[in-house]
Amino acid sequence: MELTYIVGEDRRDLVKDIQNFKIDFDKSNYKWVQARQYENSMRQVFVEVLNDDQTPFDLTGCNIVFEGLLPDSTSRIYDASNGVILDPLNGQFRFDMPKQAFAIAGSYVQAFFRIMRAGDNVALLEFDMTVLADKVISGLVPSDYITPFEDLYAKLEDILSQAGDDLQSSLTSWTNQFNNAVAQWSYKYPALVSAKNTLTEELKSLQEQISSNKLVSADMIAMSSLNDLQLTINMDTLDLNDIPRFRAYGYYNGAGVPQTTPSFGVSEIFELNLTMDIKNSGRIVAPNFQLYQLQKLLPDFNTTSFSVQHSFNGNWIYLNSGLPTIGIECLNAKFK
């Protein structure tokens, strides 16, 4: 289908009742597009735009947007992705209508093209867009289709796919902002651009957080036993209702453990995340460590092959794997 617009010359009568918006195409200089329900992308509209002196409108550097309010007076199309500039110097472009444009049979409340360039824009006159019913098949559910938000949501889905489903709980705030921005969308283009820019910055921040490990997956925080290690505790010094408490450190050239190569100065020490499975009324404990943390801080520690040594006073257990060592301290009892 072909449409021709003359910017500055084409006109239509004003709509008298804005609340019950309805364009009277019979009395105006108008164009029309007609399609069948559920058509998809192959319905193309070829448009020629002229200045009021009949010279071609220069489309160099422009982006074409289709805006439409569907026959249900609720669902909207704002498509900034499917315009193709064919001949910019002769003012010619093609628009491949998305399938969402044909979800509902009836006449559009309003349909027109907007030409964008470097923050400026000009809107062409409305055209009569009619969708013929297809009673044989059905399937599309009418909904808003706003490409700036659709693009951002697609990027969000890519991030989830790359980072793992366990990040979804960390993305609740971003998702709510996305949904609120769509819900508050209006005809005002500056408001749409502002909302899109805000979401773009949020998305950029989210990507930076993921890359810097500020957001972590379940694998990063999972706790695991080291080779099913179990330790025995002397409970004699504990009160009746007390339980043994522990903390753990990781270091190289560990204190209290004989080393093949002598170390001078203060060793670098890391406090490690530690949980204890307490069994047999507290007499047996099974330490669990965060494997991701061990790999990051003690990459040379072999989690399946290490020696277990006691300190002389029973306060410490040393897990030695060559140069790296894990020290587990019992704060209120003794190791046996």
Side-chain angles (χ1 to χ4, degrees):
M1 294 186 175
E2 298 182 0
L3 305 177
T4 301
Y5 289 98
I6 303 176
V7 177
E9 182 176 317
D10 290 340
R11 68 177 302 276
R12 67 162 172 80
D13 295 335
L14 290 174
V15 175
K16 296 180 181 179
D17 187 353
I18 297 298
Q19 298 300 321
N20 298 304
F21 188 92
K22 183 175 177 59
I23 300 173
D24 184 2
F25 286 105
D26 292 336
K27 298 179 181 179
S28 302
N29 179 17
Y30 70 94
K31 316 296 179 182
W32 61 271
V33 171
Q34 193 172 74
R36 180 72 64 180
Q37 211 172 0
Y38 313 127
E39 290 185 7
N40 184 5
S41 296
M42 292 181 66
R43 177 62 68 178
Q44 298 174 330
V45 180
F46 295 87
V47 182
E48 181 180 20
V49 186
L50 303 175
N51 295 302
D52 55 4
D53 61 358
Q54 303 297 311
T55 58
F57 186 94
D58 187 2
L59 295 176
T60 302
C62 290
N63 185 43
I64 307 301
V65 178
F66 168 64
E67 298 187 31
L69 181 60
L70 273 66
D72 64 355
S73 298
T74 301
S75 303
R76 297 175 173 88
I77 303 291
Y78 185 97
D79 189 344
S81 298
N82 290 310
V84 179
I85 305 295
L86 300 177
D87 190 341
L89 296 181
N90 285 315
Q92 296 176 350
F93 70 86
R94 185 190 79 226
F95 204 93
D96 304 331
M97 291 292 181
K99 63 182 180 181
Q100 287 84 355
F102 309 121
I104 306 173
S107 295
Y108 267 59
V109 177
Q110 188 178 40
F112 61 94
F113 293 110
R114 188 182 295 275
I115 301 174
M116 310 292 301
R117 178 165 54 201
D120 297 326
N121 73 89
V122 60
L124 302 181
L125 197 64
E126 291 100 333
F127 57 91
D128 183 8
M129 184 161 175
T130 305
V131 181
L132 304 177
D134 185 337
K135 295 300 184 181
V136 179
I137 62 172
S138 61
L140 278 180
V141 176
S143 63
D144 289 337
Y145 180 70
I146 306 171
T147 52
F149 293 113
E150 297 289 332
D151 294 341
L152 285 173
Y153 201 77
K155 290 181 181 179
L156 178 61
E157 290 180 334
D158 289 341
I159 291 175
L160 285 176
S161 176
Q162 294 171 8
D165 292 339
D166 296 299
L167 279 175
Q168 290 193 26
S169 59
S170 301
L171 299 176
T172 302
S173 175
W174 195 95
T175 304
N176 288 341
Q177 291 184 61
F178 176 89
N179 292 334
N180 290 338
V182 174
Q184 295 172 8
W185 183 83
S186 69
Y187 289 110
K188 295 182 179 179
Y189 185 80
L192 174 64
V193 172
S194 176
K196 174 182 178 294
N197 290 341
T198 299
L199 289 176
T200 300
E201 290 302 316
E202 291 288 339
L203 182 62
K204 181 180 178 181
S205 174
L206 176 64
Q207 291 171 320
E208 291 174 351
Q209 290 181 65
I210 291 174
S211 64
S212 63
N213 293 328
K214 292 180 182 178
L215 291 178
V216 297
S217 65
D219 291 339
M220 295 180 180
I221 62 175
M223 307 295 288
S224 178
S225 171
L226 300 186
N227 210 26
D228 296 324
L229 175 66
Q230 294 190 1
L231 304 172
T232 305
I233 302 297
N234 184 344
M235 301 279 290
D236 294 342
T237 60
L238 292 181
D239 294 335
L240 181 62
N241 294 321
D242 202 0
I243 60 173
R245 294 185 293 277
F246 307 88
R247 60 187 172 194
Y249 300 91
Y251 37 81
Y252 282 85
N253 302 310
V257 180
Q259 302 293 319
T260 304
T261 304
S263 173
F264 300 96
V266 179
S267 301
E268 188 173 7
I269 300 175
F270 315 100
E271 186 166 4
L272 301 176
N273 295 329
L274 171 70
T275 61
M276 283 288 190
D277 292 335
I278 299 179
K279 307 175 183 179
N280 193 21
S281 300
R283 292 176 174 81
I284 301 294
V285 294
N288 295 283
F289 293 90
Q290 191 174 327
L291 296 184
Y292 176 80
Q293 184 187 44
L294 293 184
Q295 292 168 0
K296 186 175 181 180
L297 300 180
L298 301 172
D300 302 321
F301 190 91
N302 189 335
T303 58
T304 60
S305 179
F306 51 85
S307 64
V308 180
Q309 297 175 276
H310 289 63
S311 67
F312 72 92
N313 59 8
N315 292 337
W316 289 82
I317 288 288
Y318 299 106
L319 311 180
N320 185 255
S321 178
L323 292 179
T325 301
I326 295 176
I328 305 174
E329 182 184 13
C330 187
L331 301 175
N332 59 346
K334 305 285 186 182
F335 292 107
K336 285 186 178 181

